Amino acid sequence: CERIRATALGELHPDYATTLNNIGGVYNNIGGYVKALEYYHRCEHIEATALGESHPSYATTLNNIAGVYSRQGEYVKALEYYHRCERIRATALGELHPDYATTLNNIATVFLDKGEYVKAMEYFHKCERIRATALGELHPDYATTLNN
């Protein structure tokens, strides 16, 4: 699929970037973090060029990169990418969007893993308020926030 899309669409096409992101996701799921980052960073470069660094898809790729760094215990890098994602989603989607809340939840989780409980709670509470407003208190994502 990667070669077909590269040939048919060109290596700077957003759909080709999506393919790279999906491959990165598979590597991430099986613990192949080095390969996951390789594919995610290739996707990041293409999306920055083709879509711009303020596009929600670009933010999703930053979120994915941050997730890999978090799983590897590289919390400084994870927070760097999550905060970049946070800024883009706040601007592009608004601070009441569920994807923005997900980013806050991810940041909170990194702080929790680092043992920075006050910061973690701050982000979990922000996420909770957004999800209650945007999704309602009966939504599974809201319940997940409460569980954190």
Side-chain angles (χ1 to χ4, degrees):
C1 182
E2 177 187 354
R3 281 181 273 155
I4 294 169
R5 282 198 171 199
T7 302
L9 302 172
E11 292 189 3
L12 292 178
H13 195 281
D15 288 347
Y16 177 66
T18 299
T19 298
L20 297 177
N21 200 336
N22 293 341
I23 294 170
V26 171
Y27 279 114
N28 186 29
N29 288 338
I30 62 171
Y33 301 129
V34 172
K35 291 295 274 184
L37 285 172
E38 175 188 323
Y39 279 92
Y40 285 150
H41 282 300
R42 286 173 59 195
C43 177
E44 175 190 13
H45 171 74
I46 294 166
E47 288 178 339
T49 303
L51 303 173
E53 293 185 10
S54 61
H55 195 279
S57 292
Y58 180 74
T60 297
T61 299
L62 297 178
N63 183 77
N64 293 344
I65 292 169
V68 174
Y69 284 131
S70 181
R71 283 181 199 86
Q72 292 180 309
E74 295 186 46
Y75 301 127
V76 172
K77 286 183 181 180
L79 286 172
E80 173 191 333
Y81 278 88
Y82 279 139
H83 284 305
R84 288 174 60 196
C85 176
E86 175 190 13
R87 287 188 297 275
I88 295 166
R89 285 181 170 171
T91 303
L93 304 174
E95 293 186 6
L96 292 178
H97 194 281
D99 288 350
Y100 179 73
T102 297
T103 303
L104 298 178
N105 189 79
N106 293 342
I107 292 169
T109 301
V110 172
F111 282 126
L112 185 65
D113 291 343
K114 289 179 66 178
E116 295 184 34
Y117 304 117
V118 172
K119 286 184 180 179
M121 288 305 296
E122 175 187 332
Y123 280 92
F124 280 135
H125 284 304
K126 286 181 189 177
C127 176
E128 175 192 2
R129 287 190 297 274
I130 295 166
R131 285 181 171 168
T133 302
L135 303 173
E137 293 183 6
L138 297 178
H139 193 280
D141 286 350
Y142 179 74
T144 298
T145 304
L146 295 177
N147 189 47
N148 289 333

